[in-house]
Amino acid sequence: MRGAPHYHALLWIRGAPVIGKSDPKEVLAWIQERITCKIPDASLNPELHALVTKYQMHKCTNYCKRRQKLKSGFITKCRFSFPRDVTEHAVLNPVEECLKSRKKIYLLPRAAQECRVNDYNPLLLLLWQANMDIQFTAESSLTLAHYVTGYVTKAEKSNMQEVWQEVNSNSSIYSKLWSFGVRSLRSRECGLYEASDLLLKDHLTEKSVTVKWVDAAMPQKRKRRLKSHKKLVEVEKLDPSSTDILEGSMVDIFYPARPKDLENVCLYDFVQWYEYRGASSDGTRVYQKLKKPLLPNHKLFDPSNENQREDYYYSLMNTTKNCRHY
C-alpha cells in the first residue's frame, strides 16, 4: 500500500447480472441503482453534497497525467480517463472492444459539471466519509483475475537510476558490488504512514483467518520435520538404536492419538478446532478447543489427471473420514 491508508476490495453480490448473458437494459438498471456520478442538490441533501464535492472531484496532477504520441504530436491524457464523457443516458459498450482499447465497459449519465466526479455509492460514501472509486466488474472473464493480481503483485518504486549511476562510475568492481548490494537491500521507498506505523510498532498487515497446513497425502509421500540436534542427542542417550528422529505431525501422531471423546471428529474438523497443548503429568496428550477456527489447507490434486486421481481420492478420504490409522 502506497500513500495514505486505503483499501482495494472486491464485493460479490448475489444475483448480479453478467454482461453477455443478461439483458443490457437489466445490466444498466442494476448499475445505476448502486453506482452514480451525480452531484446531489445541496438543499435536499447537504451532507452528501459536501462529501461528493470534497472527496469525489478528481483533479489531474503529475501522478495521473500521461503523455501519448500521436501523428500530429504529443498529447497529455489522464490515465483515469478524466474528464469523462458527458452523456444523457447510460451506455453499455461491447466487452471485446473495451478490452482491446481499455475503455470503460459502461458509461453513467453525466452532466457537464459532473465530468470530474469519481463514481460512488451514496450510502457507502456517507458511511466511509472519504474518497472512493466504485466500479461494476461487468463480466466473468480473465479481467477479474487481472484486476486482483495486478494490485497484489504491483512492483514497488525503486532507485534503479542511482544504481546504474553507481555501476557506470569509475569505482573499483568491489566498491560497485558492495554499493549495489547495499542499495538493493536498503533502497526501498517507504511512505510517511508506513514509517509511522513501523515506529509505533503497529501491525502493517492483519488477517481474519489463520491458515493451517495439513499434509493429507499418502504416507510414503508425506514430509516430516527432523528433530533438532538437542532432541536427537537426548534420544541417543536414552536409546542409541532408536529411530525416533522425526517431529510429531498432525496426521501421523496427534490426530490418530486423539482422545476417545473426539472419536467422531474427522481430520479436517480436528485441525480446524483443536490444538495440541502438550502432555499432562501422566503422559496423556492434551488437546484444547480453539475459540476461533483455523482454515485447514492441503495440496489439491486433479482427479481428471490419471497420475493424480489416486492421490485426490486418498486426500479426500483422509480429511473427511474418521480414522485412527492412515
Side-chain angles (χ1 to χ4, degrees):
M1 181 170 64
R2 299 160 183 80
H6 61 280
Y7 293 93
H8 291 276
L10 285 171
L11 304 177
W12 279 264
I13 301 178
R14 183 179 299 172
V18 177
I19 292 180
K21 296 181 180 179
S22 307
D23 182 82
K25 293 182 179 179
E26 178 190 350
V27 175
L28 288 174
W30 193 94
I31 293 173
Q32 292 179 85
E33 287 176 1
R34 294 160 177 81
I35 305 174
T36 184
C37 59
K38 294 297 181 184
I39 299 177
D41 190 323
S43 60
L44 297 177
N45 198 333
E47 183 181 2
L48 187 60
H49 177 273
L51 290 172
V52 171
T53 54
K54 182 178 181 180
Y55 296 119
Q56 294 301 116
M57 304 300 292
H58 177 81
K59 296 179 181 179
C60 288
T61 63
N62 291 332
Y63 176 76
C64 64
K65 290 179 180 179
R66 296 290 185 271
R67 293 190 70 191
Q68 292 184 356
K69 185 177 181 180
L70 302 177
K71 291 182 179 179
S72 57
F74 287 93
I75 62 170
T76 301
K77 295 187 68 175
C78 173
R79 70 188 184 100
F80 300 118
S81 302
F82 285 101
R84 293 181 176 170
D85 296 336
V86 175
T87 56
E88 186 176 354
H89 303 287
V91 178
L92 195 62
N93 297 316
V95 175
E96 293 184 3
E97 179 185 327
C98 295
L99 292 176
K100 291 179 182 178
S101 60
R102 295 188 176 183
K103 290 170 54 180
K104 282 182 68 71
I105 295 179
Y106 62 90
L107 298 176
L108 295 172
R110 193 183 298 266
Q113 66 270 24
E114 298 163 343
C115 62
R116 289 191 175 274
V117 178
N118 212 353
D119 299 351
Y120 67 95
N121 176 277
L123 177 59
L124 292 179
L125 185 58
L126 287 168
L127 295 171
W128 181 237
Q129 299 278 309
N131 171 261
M132 68 172 60
D133 178 14
I134 188 167
Q135 301 177 41
F136 177 53
T137 306
E139 42 84 38
S140 54
S141 71
L142 288 177
T143 304
L144 180 60
H146 288 163
Y147 177 85
V148 176
T149 56
Y151 278 108
V152 173
T153 60
K154 189 174 182 180
E156 295 194 22
K157 293 182 179 180
S158 63
N159 298 319
M160 288 305 297
Q161 186 62 37
E162 297 177 9
V163 172
W164 285 116
Q165 289 178 0
E166 185 69 33
V167 170
N168 295 325
S169 67
N170 295 324
S171 304
S172 65
I173 294 178
Y174 176 82
S175 297
K176 290 180 181 180
L177 288 174
W178 175 262
S179 178
F180 182 81
V182 171
R183 289 184 183 276
S184 298
L185 293 173
R186 296 183 178 179
S187 297
R188 175 184 173 274
E189 186 177 276
C190 181
L192 173 63
Y193 293 98
E194 183 181 352
S196 300
D197 287 332
L198 290 171
L199 291 172
L200 295 171
K201 300 188 182 301
D202 290 335
H203 295 292
L204 294 179
T205 59
E206 291 183 0
K207 52 188 177 182
S208 58
V209 179
T210 300
V211 178
K212 179 76 172 181
W213 174 257
V214 182
D215 196 349
M218 293 184 178
Q220 68 274 20
K221 296 181 179 180
R222 292 177 198 156
K223 296 177 176 62
R224 295 278 298 277
R225 186 160 56 93
L226 191 68
K227 287 184 176 181
S228 64
H229 180 264
K230 182 179 180 180
K231 290 182 180 179
L232 289 174
V233 171
E234 294 175 355
V235 170
E236 188 177 14
K237 287 181 179 179
L238 295 173
D239 183 4
S241 61
S242 175
T243 58
D244 183 20
I245 61 172
L246 301 175
E247 291 283 5
S249 71
M250 181 64 70
V251 179
D252 295 288
I253 304 296
F254 302 127
Y255 177 67
R258 66 190 183 280
K260 289 185 178 180
D261 58 333
L262 300 178
E263 183 68 31
N264 295 325
V265 177
C266 67
L267 176 61
Y268 187 94
D269 291 338
F270 185 80
V271 174
Q272 185 179 33
W273 284 104
Y274 296 92
E275 181 182 26
Y276 175 64
R277 302 296 293 177
S280 60
S281 57
D282 59 356
T284 306
R285 290 189 174 91
V286 178
Y287 298 91
Q288 181 179 354
K289 188 169 184 178
L290 301 171
K291 294 181 179 179
K292 187 176 181 181
L294 306 179
L295 178 62
N297 185 27
H298 61 85
K299 184 176 180 179
L300 299 178
F301 298 99
D302 183 7
S304 63
N305 186 332
E306 187 177 351
N307 295 328
Q308 298 184 24
R309 192 170 301 154
E310 189 176 1
D311 295 295
Y312 170 80
Y313 288 110
Y314 183 89
S315 64
L316 189 65
M317 179 193 70
N318 196 357
T319 53
T320 59
K321 296 290 289 183
N322 308 326
C323 298
R324 285 286 178 180
H325 303 284
Y326 292 94

